[in-house]
Amino acid sequence: MKLKSLALAASIVAAVAGSVAAPAAFAQAKEQFFPVLVYRTGAYAPNGVPFANGYVDYLKLVNAKGGINGVKISYEECETGYATDRGVECYERMKSKGATVFQPLSTGITFALTEKAPGDKIPLITSGYGRADSVDGTAFKWNFPLLGTYWTGASVLVQHVKKANGGSLKGKKIALVYHDSPYGKEPIPLLEELAKQEGFTLQLLPVAAPGIEQKATWLQVRQSRPDHVFLWGWGVMNSAALKEAVATGYPREKMYGVWWSGAEPDVKDVGAGAKGYQALTMQDAADGNSKIIKDMLSMVHDKGQGTGDKDEVGQVLYMRGLVASMLAVEGVKRAQERFGKGKVMTGEQVRWGFENLALDQKKLDAGGFAGVMRPVSTSCADHMGASWSRIRTWDGAKWSVTSDWYQADDSVIKPLVKASAEKYMGDKKMTRRAPDDCQS
């Protein structure tokens, strides 16, 4: 596997992509090492590639600006193919190289690594996926579902369709067409609770991976005639679902996807046929006027150092990867404020940084994220930091943000988080963190 090092002076950024890193010992001593779990091959590659490109490009951009308070970044990609066993193998291979943080980009891999991270003292960022109960930092010390979970996403979708139905969902039917995996099953407890509270019927329609064959599923949709369909898909499953909706005549404007079901690869093959389809967006929206995009183009892509095509800069999954990378870097930067600016941080020190993030709007704007994100502030009890999201709509040719910000309803989510975290701790014979541990 090729180790790509970014630890070169900003003045010679053009040489970055082709360079070969020093041995791991040097990387640990001189560079901040970021393992990058990717899936550039397999059934989910069309979605995994732009995310990975955005992630890596941001690391390059940070180095082009001088590093993290002068500390240069190195990284290594490891191909998981979205498979849990391969993700665990990547983790085991790279954890001893001075790993800063792992971002599994898979709920299945997240579940597996949640058992390993505490012993290895390496934090996990699972922004917009993973375990919804890991918001509770007093139970999950090493997990950070920054910006949102599938429970916050489901909450916002229900709020949105409730608003579209005049403020009431009583007597309505919502069908959840979901990837039959830990990812797709994760929102079900929250949706079941909301169905009781709001008076709607929830129809569960699992789709076997990778999701190409959905005719039987959409036959059920046609027969049951739900008022809305929530799509919890990934990769080819999303475009297959939209094509089946077209074939069965289900209105696309009544379909709503989670944030992993609302990107360019999901709709490009359907084109005008997907017009009206809506999907969640996390804090990752951007347009060509965003400073972060202008910086990326001028300091990375215009110098021939872009990881992928220049045209994808600013697209949905590219921005999702870029924001995920930014969060990782900001955790290191925050840790340096306590443990020493200009120093390489350990995984344990970076964990403290993630637990004490204080990204106010001023800091976000200074980093080029004005209009892209809202403030993020974490604590020992709250490892998510923010639960805002908006709705995107496909107009047949492009995605546009078409709603104001929604915030997830904590009054429903917090009791579920507490109950699930308590069960997890009971099963693992764990106790909650003591107050003094929250300061360490």
Side-chain angles (χ1 to χ4, degrees):
M1 179 177 298
K2 184 178 180 181
L3 177 63
K4 299 179 180 178
S5 174
L6 301 183
L8 297 177
S11 61
I12 54 170
V13 174
V16 168
S19 66
V20 179
F26 176 80
Q28 290 176 21
K30 302 294 184 181
E31 305 170 345
Q32 194 72 46
F33 174 62
F34 287 82
V36 186
L37 272 57
V38 302
Y39 31 97
R40 295 183 179 277
T41 63
Y44 302 98
N47 297 71
V49 168
F51 183 100
N53 290 347
Y55 195 100
V56 170
D57 274 357
Y58 187 77
L59 299 180
K60 293 180 178 180
L61 178 63
V62 172
N63 268 0
K65 292 182 175 182
I68 307 174
N69 291 316
V71 176
K72 293 306 179 70
I73 294 171
S74 65
Y75 76 92
E76 181 180 350
E77 291 191 6
C78 190
E79 175 66 41
T80 72
Y82 196 67
T84 297
D85 58 346
R86 292 177 65 183
V88 172
E89 180 184 341
C90 286
Y91 172 87
E92 293 293 347
R93 184 184 307 163
M94 295 197 290
K95 70 181 183 181
S96 62
K97 297 184 178 183
T100 301
V101 60
F102 279 93
Q103 300 206 39
L105 198 57
S106 156
T107 296
I109 298 174
T110 298
F111 274 59
L113 297 190
T114 295
E115 307 302 311
K116 294 177 175 293
D120 296 322
K121 299 185 183 305
I122 303 173
L124 306 175
I125 292 180
T126 60
S127 184
Y129 60 97
R131 300 187 62 107
D133 54 5
S134 65
V135 169
D136 184 351
T138 65
F140 295 88
K141 182 175 180 177
W142 297 89
N143 293 59
F144 293 88
L146 300 172
L147 304 186
T149 69
Y150 293 135
W151 290 0
T152 66
S155 170
V156 168
L157 280 181
V158 171
Q159 288 181 54
H160 186 69
V161 297
K162 181 179 178 179
K163 182 179 179 181
N165 282 276
S168 176
L169 289 173
K170 189 174 182 179
K172 300 295 184 181
K173 181 184 290 185
I174 296 176
L176 176 67
V177 177
Y178 66 95
H179 194 277
D180 194 9
S181 67
Y183 152 54
K185 296 173 183 177
E186 188 69 13
I188 293 175
L190 190 281
L191 288 172
E192 289 177 335
E193 180 62 28
L194 288 175
K196 294 176 187 176
Q197 294 188 16
E198 299 289 347
F200 64 85
T201 300
L202 178 65
Q203 181 183 18
L204 301 177
L205 299 174
V207 175
I212 298 174
E213 179 49 59
Q214 296 184 43
K215 292 190 181 300
T217 300
W218 286 88
L219 177 60
Q220 293 181 71
V221 171
R222 185 167 64 181
Q223 291 171 340
S224 64
R225 299 180 181 276
D227 296 282
H228 302 285
V229 169
F230 288 176
L231 178 59
W232 231 265
W234 186 225
V236 69
M237 176 180 164
N238 295 326
S239 57
L242 286 165
K243 289 175 183 177
E244 290 295 341
V246 172
T248 58
Y250 189 82
R252 266 68 72 205
E253 63 271 15
K254 292 187 176 183
M255 292 179 64
Y256 300 84
V258 70
W259 38 62
W260 301 114
S261 300
E264 286 80 8
D266 303 321
V267 292
K268 67 178 183 179
D269 291 339
V270 189
K275 184 178 180 179
Y277 171 60
Q278 300 171 68
L280 282 172
T281 171
M282 294 183 68
Q283 297 195 43
D284 52 33
D287 58 39
N289 292 320
S290 300
K291 185 176 185 299
I292 186 62
I293 290 181
K294 292 179 179 178
D295 287 352
M296 186 65 72
L297 292 173
S298 65
M299 301 182 73
V300 178
H301 279 264
D302 287 351
K303 296 181 181 298
Q305 297 307 310
T307 310
D309 293 336
K310 185 176 181 178
D311 291 345
E312 75 180 6
V313 177
Q315 292 185 1
V316 174
L317 289 170
Y318 182 93
M319 290 303 299
R320 189 80 46 79
L322 185 155
V323 168
S325 186
M326 181 275 283
L327 292 171
V329 169
E330 289 299 322
V332 175
K333 193 179 297 183
R334 182 73 171 106
Q336 286 184 349
E337 292 178 14
R338 178 179 181 182
F339 301 106
K341 288 188 177 181
K343 295 181 179 180
V344 173
M345 296 289 102
T346 66
E348 195 163 13
Q349 290 170 331
V350 174
R351 190 214 63 79
W352 182 91
F354 293 139
E355 189 165 276
N356 293 274
L357 278 180
L359 288 173
D360 59 20
Q361 198 61 54
K362 183 177 179 180
K363 288 181 180 178
L364 291 170
D365 292 354
F369 289 87
V372 179
M373 295 182 63
R374 296 177 67 101
V376 184
S377 178
T378 57
S379 67
C380 181
D382 177 13
H383 277 198
M384 179 169 59
S387 62
W388 298 89
S389 52
R390 292 181 284 187
I391 301 294
R392 279 191 177 102
T393 301
W394 178 251
D395 68 5
K398 67 181 186 305
W399 288 103
S400 299
V401 174
T402 52
S403 81
D404 292 331
W405 288 101
Y406 287 94
Q407 188 172 27
D409 186 354
D410 276 346
S411 68
V412 181
I413 296 173
K414 280 188 174 180
L416 292 180
V417 167
K418 182 178 180 180
S420 183
E422 290 285 356
K423 183 180 185 306
Y424 179 84
M425 288 189 296
D427 291 344
K428 302 297 180 181
K429 296 180 171 52
M430 295 167 53
T431 58
R432 288 193 179 277
R433 295 167 62 190
D436 59 339
D437 187 45
C438 285
Q439 304 305 315
S440 64

